[in-house]
């Protein structure tokens, strides 16, 4: 029995609301159960110095968590003066995941920065960030396309992410905090609608696991991301 | 004529929604027109080292702005590695303003931290933060009272804040960004429902101003905060 | 009775000595009683990147306190690796105050940096910094005028600052440390010789205050700054 | 054809030399081809504050690269004042991997810190670090056992790591820099001698990949780590 | 001919004024020509953690330069967020030099911090700092002795410092900035009144030098410090 | 009797191995007894901003110590976020010492960065760094000469360094850690093969010392560096 009473292969309730941010070129407020992440896509008409003159665009991401998104208040990273290793790891993952579905040559020399800020946390924030950031990014590219800044949509795939894990010996889909904090193992799957693997991060927490378990998790992730792809499409109209 | 078409003494539409944060002891999402600030109050059962053993509580505040709360994306302070002078100035102001309406002896040795995070910015974020933080703080104290952590409510006043300014020669209430960025002068008034002045910060932007103008601004602030006190009461039920 | 025995409307003894710094384009060592601040004005033949090409100059300020300017030694900010919120707040105030009396177009694209370093502290250091920095800045502009770097003096006003407060229920002028640390409320007034208000920062410390009290403080500040304007003129010869 | 001429399933030449560090409780200099990493295990008789009083030990890792371990000199992280996101990600991975094979209760309240410093880099440094750190850690535990600091060896598994990737369409084992920088996809496998999965990180670089490819990589990793387990055992005598 | 017209073996005019700082336990404003350094000695009733419980005191130093102490304005280290290597080197030297003349057991577990802040710089600031800090430290110990915090004066020597150099081929005493910036070689000598060497730092700037030159510099330093010892004694009354 | 049993004027066993680093333009792994330092010379085809356009090259150095090069593990400076004062002092010394034997005009506008990383520490690491860095630098210049990047070798001298000290009252050559930590005084001598003094840093540790002792130390340093010059020549072939 899962703490939430969900079936082993059930996602939490998902909603994706576009346009929450009044200024960003694209934005999506994604909710997966009690996890809520505000994803914005900001466009800048140039690329970082190390990429100039190559005729390609850049997609990057930053991640943050409001201090009281969590059960007990966490330090504000801006006040502490540095981002944690966890934060950096997550924002690097988001950036890689989104770059995997963009033709950067088709972007031209512009930068899209995806800011994913967790307003409420209940597990799975990095996966929700990727799923929401995809929507925000598409919104931003549409705006650029409408304004003729780009000639065609540079998307070459649709990406979403979900975490799965082994909880009390059973593979389950879309861990919430109660499950995540006590899982035997967990894994984040970043997959494309075309069936490709963008990234897999699987980690033994309490016990090492075998290939059969791993394959069960991957199977759940396939199912879960199918539903997320549908939610993204619905949000994008 | 104001850019928004508002009367010179009209506040923007105000709403205060409690309970947005799922984990915080108290929270308020305040909207003043297009400015939206999420205020949370977090309670910790001890005080900072410099206050230990004095039998008094502490109230402090932190302020942040999501990178894309603004027209153009701002640097993430956590990534830059330090909070700007503006951020520090604002969070110090919020902390002082809230401490002014609390009997810290009645708190006992606990700390309330008010986090004010701007989700969308359209001028007046520090004033909205103070007005919203008051609601979040009262919610937190109510919860502590219910749980018998404190014996009585330690509130000794009700505080709210509003900015006024001289725009194209005329005193106006509750500047939005379009006015704020072109004002001759502006002023933040932090006032109590009992009529007391907690803090005034009045600054010449384009031109110095005289006492008559200053008094006109103070009069507008009295009117504006009366409406904010009512909105706070309504939110607190 | 004030701790110092001064009348409620009496400034401390003021002296302003120019030329203490051997290298700066302008400098003033200001003493207000036991508070001593060394103010230097340094000229650089360019403006910060965000202002280039606009044909305007820039005036900025930095503030510091020697570790043992105070009763007990404070941390050296350079050693701690960052400036406190208080320091940043003060240096931002000094910069705004001085910019209010300069025609930046008349400066051309140069930067004047005002460094205000407190050698001995006995209350009122930010106000003394502003009053002294005015003198240092005028000295620097005179030197630039003499050397034909600028065609005319870009000063459009004379600025000085003084703190007032409510001490044991009574409004008093020019708080020293003994008063400041126990005041009911205090306020910093930055005024021009022409009668304009540049900035007001009024803060309830122990108790909120009403408009009548506020007006009494403003009246004292008018009197005090009149004397400071005279002292500035005398120092400038 | 691989740039190095190796078979698709061939490791580079591996050597593990113990005792290079004169002071560390355990140390291993691991070479995988031209990649060389010095791994030391340092023991401290206490645990970090968040773990005190629980009767368990702690294993943590730090990773660094000498500035000129690479083709072009990289910034020294100590001089830049912070560790990169990549560095933090790697050292967190090393720590997790080693903790997976230790019974922390059996350690008692001591901390083992694994420092992995890359002297020469030619791809695969994080995997070499894990494989070498295992040897250094066992050496340290043996010393503690000999000195009766611990009553039994707290090892509950043997861990090693290897990277695999898809290079020019073909799955290959143990990527060197020439392959790594041009791979279609790469994956790091951290496995135990008992056949368990500790961690998998698989990333599409140029193209997304499918499950068949992923399984091919996992098969190669099984073969590679078998050889690494043998090399570890030989080094440990 | 020296730029200043001084004889090769002539110090600049030296003055040491005690009591400039109103709060410090001891203070000395030392002037060597146009170099002016404010030295304060602050006493704290405990020692740093690494020294606790050993019954010995600690003497340490911090050094700073006001931004416009120099010909062109330097960055404020507090604003830049770190002390330069030069600053750290100097403050370590000052601390070592003063510790060399103190019996730390006789101090008991107290800390004396020597702050040396350069108000005007014209070469030789580290040597002036040491010479002035000695006076400030003795003043502080006298005060502690008067208050019976210590039972006897813990001084075991008198220390002063002077720089010498080879300027246009000739050994000269007490380099000012004009000489220092063009010297062939320079050396700082920290000597005791009893004839002991505390520290020598000799550096070839343009050319390496031989032992004969070095000995000539040491001879000059002997003469110069004799005069400084007399100035210290005069200042201490 | 020295702890190592060496004669008072005996160096530890010295070896210098070139080519340890696979990528650096020049490298030397120097061992002096149990002290081992990896020195690399990296060439970059430009100079720092402050030197551009002057037609001269630049030589600079960075120094580091692996966390477990020492008896007890030291903090990793990259993790702590700053280099210690000791580190900065040492790397500034190495840079000055190497620049003293290079004709920077003959280099052209290139930068040589010398990285000295201590793998094992047993005293004398800064001196070993200088002696080894000389070899690495010559290797790099030879490579540049071979590739016709420079027209002639820019070396104008040969430099080596050794520490001497007064141990239990007796002057001894080449202090190891056991001696260094208990020495009465120690001194680092950086000398050239032509007999010139590049830098001397002599410090009283327990007791001040006199000229006769100092001269004895210098004599030992002459002898020791003669042997080091021979070892450098042998390593350079």
């Amino acid at each position: 029995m899962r703490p939430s009473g969900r079936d082993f292969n059930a996602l939490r309730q998902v909603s994706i609301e576009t346009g929450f941010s009044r200024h960003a070129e694209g934005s999506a407020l994604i909710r997966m159960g009690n996890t809520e992440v505000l994803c914005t896509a900001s466009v800048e008409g140039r690329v970082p110095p190390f990429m100039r003159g190559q005729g390609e665009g850049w997609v990057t991401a930053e991640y943050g968590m409001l201090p009281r998104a969590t059960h007990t208040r966490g330090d504000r990273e801006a006040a502490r003066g540095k981002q944690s290793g966890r934060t950096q790891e997550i924002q690097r993952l988001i950036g890689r995941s989104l770059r995997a579905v963009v033709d950067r040559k088709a972007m031209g020399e512009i930068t899209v920065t995806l800011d994913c800020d967790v307003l409420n946390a209940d597990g799975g924030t990095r996966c929700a960030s990727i799923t929401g950031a995809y929507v925000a990014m598409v919104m931003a590219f549409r705006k650029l396309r409408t304004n003729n800044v780009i000639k065609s949509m540079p998307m070459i795939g649709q990406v979403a992410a979900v975490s799965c894990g082994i909880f009390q010996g059973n593979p389950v889909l879309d861990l919430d905090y109660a499950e995540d904090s006590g899982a035997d193992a967990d894994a984040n799957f970043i997959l494309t609608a075309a069936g490709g693997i963008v990234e897999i991060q699987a980690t033994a927490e309490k016990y090492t696991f075998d290939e059969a378990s791993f394959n069960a998790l991957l199977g759940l992730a396939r199912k879960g991301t199918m539903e997320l792809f549908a939610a993204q499409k619905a949000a994008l109209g």
Side-chain angles (χ1 to χ4, degrees), chain A residues 171-183:
Chain A
V172 294
L173 175 64
D174 189 20
L175 303 175
D176 55 27
Y177 180 77
E179 292 167 329
D180 191 33
S181 55

Side-chain angles (χ1 to χ4, degrees), chain A residues 145-169:
Chain A
R145 183 67 200 86
T146 302
N147 297 342
N148 275 315
V149 176
I150 54 176
K151 294 187 188 145
S152 60
M153 287 295 283
M155 307 305 303
I156 55 172
Q158 183 180 355
V159 69
V162 74
S163 75
C164 302
I166 302 173
F167 180 71
Q168 299 181 345

